[in-house]
Amino acid sequence: MSPLYVINGPNLNRLGKREPEIYGYTTLAEVEAMCRGAAGARPVVFQQSNFEGEIVNLVHQAIDLPAAGIIINPAALTFTSIAVLDALKMFPGPIIELHISNIHKREAIYHNSLVSKVATAVIAGLGPEGYGVAVQAIEGLIRKAVIKA
Ligand code: CA2
């Protein structure tokens, strides 16, 4: 079974340790366990990087395999990275853009996502539990894509 990629951008390694009023107390290791649990038999490649080029490389890995789907929390790169956008454009499967917080409720700098232009779906504001919801949702999108093919 082809894997699901869950890619996390800059600073998310600090999850659960900073600004818990916005992002909650759940750590990234706990989020990873949640994703693996929700994915069942499907293998999960769960990665975080503070480097834009590394996020691009992870998307390339997902393209080359190919992965069944990508869930990406690009963090600040959401709003700045044409390189991440261009890489995601090359991925043929479903992409879910995920944010722990509701970015639309926040300051204006968090409103214009570049990644949304290429995402199949966007989840924002469900807290860390949003990752589990995203894994369940992407299974449905993968199934639909297979039926279409
Ligand atoms: O809500 C999200 O998941 C975000 O992608 C998080 C990004 C922010 O730039 C986006 O607008 C929304 C920032 C992540 C900052 O990293 C932290 C990690 C742990 C605790 C606090 C911040």
Side-chain angles (χ1 to χ4, degrees), residues 5-132:
Y5 266 59
V6 183
I7 301 174
N8 296 282
N11 296 308
L12 287 166
N13 51 322
R14 299 276 178 175
L15 198 62
K17 298 164 190 154
R18 235 188 62 189
E19 299 179 80
E21 65 289 355
I22 301 177
Y23 301 106
Y25 287 98
T26 308
T27 65
L28 199 62
E30 289 167 337
V31 167
E32 177 174 357
M34 197 193 295
C35 288
R36 293 190 190 285
R42 185 175 296 283
V44 174
V45 176
F46 190 98
Q47 294 286 341
Q48 185 276 333
S49 177
N50 293 326
F51 299 96
E52 182 177 19
E54 187 54 36
I55 300 289
V56 170
N57 282 340
L58 286 166
V59 174
H60 290 178
Q61 265 180 32
I63 293 162
D64 291 341
L65 270 172
I70 297 177
I71 296 169
I72 184 163
N73 183 347
L77 298 175
T78 308
F79 316 101
T80 61
S81 180
I82 293 170
V84 172
L85 173 67
D86 285 343
L88 287 169
K89 275 185 183 165
M90 294 183 247
F91 183 70
I95 298 168
I96 296 186
E97 175 187 350
L98 183 285
H99 299 285
I100 296 164
S101 62
N102 179 355
I103 54 175
H104 303 291
K105 219 171 146 182
R106 302 184 62 190
E107 303 95 299
I109 53 161
Y110 298 120
H111 291 175
N112 186 28
S113 166
L114 296 175
V115 170
S116 292
K117 314 268 182 274
V118 74
T120 312
V122 182
I123 294 173
L126 294 179
E129 290 72 21
Y131 281 85

